[in-house]
């Protein structure tokens, strides 16, 4: 089974400012480029301890090399509309050049 068999549809949420109609502005997230990724709840010891102390559940997002997720990016899982904020930088966890399966991983948390 290939890594991409576990991927599903996601979409970047772009951050932009728009007029509020009263001379000011407000910020909003609007749908951006689509991409495919895999996601799962992180079950490491550190993540379990964080969960017990009231912190948010930590997720790991896996993408191909052509997707560069950066800290504070917001992504949307199309299946259920759940939004995630990226809490790391995918360039830090890229597989080596000689790896058979090439991918990137990054941590994320759910935005309520």
């Amino acid at each position: 089974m290939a890594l991409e068999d576990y991927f599903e549809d996601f979409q970047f949420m772009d951050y932009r400012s728009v007029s509020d109609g009263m001379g000011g502005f407000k910020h909003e997230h609007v749908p951006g480029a689509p991409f495919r990724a895999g996601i799962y709840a992180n079950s490491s010891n550190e993540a379990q301890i964080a969960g017990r102390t009231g912190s948010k559940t930590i997720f790991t997002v896996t993408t191909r090399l052509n997707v560069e997720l950066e800290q504070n990016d917001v992504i949307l899982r199309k299946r259920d509309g759940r939004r995630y904020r990226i809490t790391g930088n995918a360039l830090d966890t890229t597989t080596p050049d000689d790896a058979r399966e090439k991918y990137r991983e990054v941590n994320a948390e759910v935005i309520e």
Side-chain angles (χ1 to χ4, degrees):
M1 226 176 217
L3 178 65
E4 289 183 3
D5 290 345
Y6 297 100
F7 284 7
E8 55 186 304
D9 294 328
F10 280 82
Q11 189 166 25
F12 279 100
M13 298 303 292
D14 296 332
Y15 192 64
R16 72 173 185 186
S17 58
V18 295
S19 171
D20 67 0
M22 302 177 123
F25 66 93
K26 61 182 179 178
H27 292 104
E28 65 182 7
H29 282 108
V30 295
F35 66 98
R36 292 190 48 83
I39 190 166
Y40 63 92
N42 190 329
S43 60
S44 68
N45 289 336
E46 294 84 3
Q48 290 177 13
I49 292 169
R52 287 188 202 125
T53 61
S55 298
K56 296 180 179 183
T57 302
I58 299 169
F59 291 86
T60 300
V61 180
T62 305
T63 64
R64 286 293 180 195
L65 295 181
N66 63 338
V67 178
E68 291 183 18
L69 297 173
E70 297 177 352
Q71 189 163 0
N72 294 320
D73 280 348
V74 175
I75 60 173
L76 172 81
R77 183 166 58 186
K78 304 274 285 215
R79 172 172 45 103
D80 58 7
R82 184 180 257 185
R83 293 175 186 225
Y84 299 88
R85 184 178 71 83
I86 304 303
T87 59
N89 190 334
L91 294 177
D92 296 336
T93 54
T94 300
T95 54
D97 290 338
D98 59 347
R100 184 174 297 177
E101 287 282 341
K102 297 183 185 312
Y103 60 90
R104 293 186 168 125
E105 285 188 336
V106 67
N107 288 334
E109 63 186 12
V110 173
I111 297 175
E112 300 294 335

